[in-house]
Amino acid sequence: MENSGVRRRPVQRRSIERVERILDACADLLDEVGFDALTTVEVARRARVPAATVYQFFDGKPGMMRALALRNLDLLLVRLRRRAAAEHHLTWHRAGEIVLEETVGMRRTVPGFTVVDFADTRPGGASFLPPGQAQEGGDILAERLYAFAIDEAGLPPLRDPLRATRLAIEAAGVALRLAFQHSRDGDPAMIAHGRTMLTAYLDRLTHD
C-alpha cells in the first residue's frame, strides 16, 4: 500500500485548497533553494498557512515529498490518458516514446519535478518512503504504469512484468538525468539516445 505522507486527508474544499497550496509552495521552493535548504516553516510562509497546518496534513518534510511525488505521478497518468486516447493501435514501442515525451515535458515545466519526480527518489539520494512501511518508489511507479498499460491502454502483457517495467524506468531515468544535468531544457541528443535505448528494449521484450 502506498504511503502518501498525508496524516489527514482533506475533505472540505477549504482544506483541499490548503493542501494544494502547501504542495505548490513546496514545489516552487524546491526549484529555488533545493531539497536540503527547504524547511516546513518556509513552505508554510509561502503557502500562507500557519506552520502547524503543514504538520496537521503532512508527516513533516518527508511527507510533503511523498505527497508531491505521488501528485506528479497522478499528473503523468492524466497526460498519458490524453495521449493514449489519441493513438490508434498503440504498441509498447510507441507507449515508451509517449512516456518519455511526457516525462521530458514535465521536467521542463512542472515546478520541483527535477528534485522530486514521480519515482519518489532524488538522483543519488535515498527514497522518501520509510523502509517497512511502503514499497520503494520505483515499485509504485512500475506497478501503476504497468497497470495503466494493461488495464487502460490495452497493451499486451509482458513476461516478468515488474522487473521489465522497473528496468525500463530505471534505464530511461539515467538517460534523462544525464540529459538534464546541466540544462532545464535538456540535451536533445541525450534524450534521443534514451529514446533509442528504451524503445529497443521494449521491442525486444515484445518480439522474443
Side-chain angles (χ1 to χ4, degrees), residues 4 12 33-34 39 70 78 140 146 170 193:
S4 67
Q12 296 181 346
V33 304
T39 66
L70 291 171
V78 168
I140 290 174
Y146 186 73
E170 294 295 334
H193 282 300

Side-chain angles (χ1 to χ4, degrees), residues 21-44:
R21 286 211 315 272
I22 291 169
L23 291 178
D24 288 342
C26 181
D28 288 338
L29 285 167
L30 285 172
D31 278 344
E32 294 174 19
V33 304
F35 173 80
D36 292 332
L38 181 141
T39 66
T40 54
V41 172
E42 184 58 22
V43 169

Side-chain angles (χ1 to χ4, degrees), residues 47-147:
R48 305 185 308 279
V49 300
T53 300
V54 175
Y55 290 98
Q56 179 184 1
F57 290 106
F58 297 101
D59 182 18
K61 184 174 173 179
M64 286 190 293
M65 299 302 112
R66 291 196 293 276
L68 187 59
L70 291 171
R71 187 175 78 164
N72 285 337
L73 177 52
D74 288 338
L75 176 58
L76 173 67
L77 290 171
V78 168
R79 295 170 74 130
L80 293 181
R81 287 186 182 101
R82 184 186 67 245
R83 294 291 300 274
E87 294 279 335
H88 299 288
H89 309 296
L90 190 66
T91 64
W92 277 104
H93 180 116
R94 180 59 182 150
E97 290 182 326
I98 291 172
V99 172
L100 195 69
E101 289 167 7
E102 292 300 328
T103 303
V104 167
M106 291 179 70
R107 277 186 171 268
R108 290 171 174 165
T109 61
V110 175
F113 188 80
T114 56
V115 181
V116 178
D117 63 16
F118 37 63
D120 198 29
T121 55
R122 288 182 295 150
S127 172
F128 295 119
L129 298 174
Q133 295 184 31
Q135 297 168 310
E136 291 298 314
D139 284 350
I140 290 174
L141 179 57
E143 289 184 357
R144 291 190 65 180
L145 282 181
Y146 186 73

Side-chain angles (χ1 to χ4, degrees), residues 175-197:
L176 291 183
R177 284 195 290 273
L178 291 172
F180 286 86
Q181 193 169 25
H182 302 297
S183 169
R184 174 87 185 192
D185 292 329
D187 174 9
M190 185 61 73
I191 293 171
H193 282 300
R195 180 184 296 108
T196 299
M197 176 181 61

